[in-house]
Amino acid sequence: MTDNDVDVIVVGGGPSGLTVAAEIAATGAQVLVLEKRNSDPVSRAGTLLPRPLELFDARGIADRFIRRTCEINPHPFQSWHIWGGMHPIDWTTRDSRFQFTLFLPQHETELILRDWATDTGVDIRFHQEVVDLKYDADRVLVTSLDSDGQPCQSSARYVVGADGGHSAVRKLTNIDFEGRDATFTGVIADAEMAFPWPGGLRVGHNEYGWLTTFPFGPGLTRFVMVHRDDRAEPKSAPVTLAGLTECVSEILGETVRIPGLRASSRYTDAQRIASRFRSERVFLVGESARIHYPASGMGMNYCLQDAFNLGWKLGAVLQGHADEALLDTYETERRPISVDLLRSVDAQVAIQFDFSPEGLTLSGALQQKFLPIPAVNSQLQLELNGLETPYPAEQPSHPSVGHPVPDFELLRNDGSTVRLYELLRDGRFVLLDLSGTGVLGDLDSPAVSLVQAHPARLPAALDQATCLLVRPDAYLAWATELPPDPADVLSRLGQWLNVRNTFSLSTIS
């Protein structure tokens, strides 16, 4: 007999763990989060990029992040971003409601996600350090220790490891962590000072090093820096106020006075990736599956997308709406994206931290001559948002299958308007009939919402589409430009979900 018997145990209560827990719990499953830390969140990442905001919009909570950023940051919306330390990557050319970066401290993001997870029914337990996993064909037995060292045993059908780069879940399941050790260190410091420069973002890059700085809350300024003479320091070396002040002043080329430090730490460019993202009933998300230099604030944004990808799939299987085989697509879809991420990090680091005259000349030329080219800017937008490589798709299929569907407005047959991402907020597939024929009749399914509507404006890549099947994570599962055929639609639904148990189209005999 265990202390807790649930559907899913998530180990780790950071952003990716809370997101996957909320996604699963929203389907009605029982979810337990075991978090090693106490209830005080930590601040590491500081940016939310457009794609995670779009996904949060598809769950109706994007406004929570925006409101909180507006409350604590005098420059809440940054319409440009960096890649490889160079700028600007111009978000205003992106087809999105979120044409900006939100500079929001990770502890603020985590508190919002904690509220969301609690709202969906997730049980969050702090001071729980996982020390053992045992699993058979049906369940996983998890042993954790509380703050007094007392053991607690919990069991679940599935376990998700979201416990960071030193993941106990990954180690206990004997999944290799392949890669390389650190070659340099950087510094993250939160200074007790109001942001002193105009705008909401300052970048410095010269022979002394590279840094970015931005507001990090009332009376706080964050510095992220790699200094030429400081990058050989060990990760454990303390960050001193005097040393930080000198390095910042050299890189920005001006005297900067920093009154005091609220927090500071060193980070490295160590890079590793899990050989597998799944071991039977155990899955890895976020930094449990990979670690890397935090290039351009990309890391947490990829972690959140892992969580959205896995969450709806576990929920569908637990509800009986999908077969177990659906869970295999988590690794086949997300691991290649992680490989893309590590490749991008390598490229950015090579450009960003070559402080030789030749290296500075190269980065300057790239910034001045190549970043302004619209096609280059658009490609780097995809890379930053983790959208460079589409998910695998059967062939032949519509060219947009495996890509996210941009949000767009629809006119319902009753005259009301709704956005696609609003239709996704209950976590179901959306079958969108744009043909105006009504040939699909009525769909009776708890896993799919049939919507017959007229698009106010279709994304260019879908401008000839007559019927779309959109996944709960806003990716396109199927589309046709022909008049929709009910038998074909039913077949397409069956590729993702359990047709016999969940579907009936009134026009199919």
Side-chain angles (χ1 to χ4, degrees), residues 176-196:
D176 292 336
F177 209 32
E178 304 162 345
R180 57 172 173 76
D181 295 331
T183 65
F184 68 85
T185 59
V187 169
I188 293 179
D190 297 336
E192 294 176 333
M193 56 187 285
F195 190 71

Side-chain angles (χ1 to χ4, degrees), residues 398 400-405 462 468-471 474-479:
H398 191 282
S400 292
V401 170
H403 295 270
V405 182
L462 295 167
L468 311 175
L469 180 62
V470 184
R471 296 171 15 163
Y475 274 76
L476 186 64
W478 170 78

Side-chain angles (χ1 to χ4, degrees), residues 109-376:
T109 295
E110 194 170 312
L111 288 173
I112 293 169
L113 292 174
R114 193 180 294 174
D115 286 343
W116 179 40
T118 302
D119 291 344
T120 62
V122 175
D123 182 5
I124 305 173
R125 307 281 180 90
F126 297 100
H127 291 294
Q128 294 290 327
E129 180 180 2
V130 170
V131 295
D132 192 33
L133 292 177
K134 288 184 173 63
Y135 52 98
D136 55 29
D138 299 315
R139 296 188 74 78
V140 186
L141 180 66
V142 179
T143 302
S144 59
L145 302 179
D146 65 17
S147 57
D148 297 322
Q150 296 300 307
C152 173
Q153 289 192 322
S154 308
S155 73
R157 287 181 60 183
Y158 301 99
V159 168
V160 178
D163 49 340
H166 299 288
S167 171
V169 172
R170 187 187 63 244
K171 295 172 183 175
L172 290 167
T173 48
N174 296 313
I175 296 176
D176 292 336
F177 209 32
E178 304 162 345
R180 57 172 173 76
D181 295 331
T183 65
F184 68 85
T185 59
V187 169
I188 293 179
D190 297 336
E192 294 176 333
M193 56 187 285
F195 190 71
W197 296 284
L201 185 65
R202 177 81 186 274
V203 177
H205 192 192
N206 60 18
E207 68 273 20
Y208 292 105
W210 179 92
L211 75 75
T212 184
T213 179
F214 47 88
F216 211 60
L220 285 179
T221 294
R222 167 156 283 194
F223 294 96
V224 182
M225 173 185 70
V226 174
H227 190 278
R228 178 192 65 191
D229 303 326
D230 191 61
R231 60 181 171 181
E233 290 289 331
K235 186 179 179 182
S236 59
V239 178
T240 67
L241 180 60
L244 178 69
T245 300
E246 180 179 2
C247 289
V248 168
S249 297
E250 287 178 338
I251 297 175
L252 290 181
E254 61 184 77
T255 300
V256 179
R257 290 180 171 82
I258 302 175
L261 293 179
R262 176 76 57 85
S264 61
S265 62
R266 296 183 188 271
Y267 60 93
T268 77
D269 69 329
Q271 187 176 107
R272 297 188 182 279
I273 185 170
S275 58
R276 294 171 289 147
F277 282 16
R278 179 186 185 185
S279 177
E280 299 182 41
R281 293 185 171 272
V282 178
F283 300 82
L284 301 177
V285 298
E287 291 184 349
S288 297
R290 62 183 170 270
I291 59 170
H292 54 87
Y293 167 76
S296 306
M298 299 162 69
M300 184 180 72
N301 294 272
Y302 277 66
C303 295
L304 292 168
Q305 292 180 72
D306 286 351
F308 275 104
N309 184 291
L310 179 61
W312 73 264
K313 295 173 181 177
L314 279 170
V317 170
L318 288 165
Q319 288 178 300
H321 296 160
D323 294 330
E324 176 88 13
L326 176 65
L327 300 178
D328 292 334
T329 66
Y330 169 64
E331 180 169 328
T332 59
E333 290 181 345
R334 291 307 299 172
R335 198 174 186 279
I337 301 298
S338 291
V339 172
D340 284 345
L341 169 60
L342 300 188
R343 188 182 298 114
S344 172
V345 169
D346 281 341
Q348 293 187 59
V349 166
I351 295 170
Q352 192 169 348
F353 302 130
D354 183 351
F355 306 133
S356 68
E358 296 82 5
L360 293 171
T361 299
L362 173 62
S363 62
L366 291 173
Q367 179 170 292
Q368 294 172 19
K369 297 179 180 179
F370 291 94
L371 253 62
I373 299 173
V376 173

Side-chain angles (χ1 to χ4, degrees), residues 51 94 302 305 382-383 385-390 403-404 475:
R51 183 56 189 164
R94 178 174 167 79
Y302 277 66
Q305 292 180 72
L382 294 174
E383 192 171 315
N385 282 284
L387 305 176
E388 188 179 13
T389 299
H403 295 270
Y475 274 76

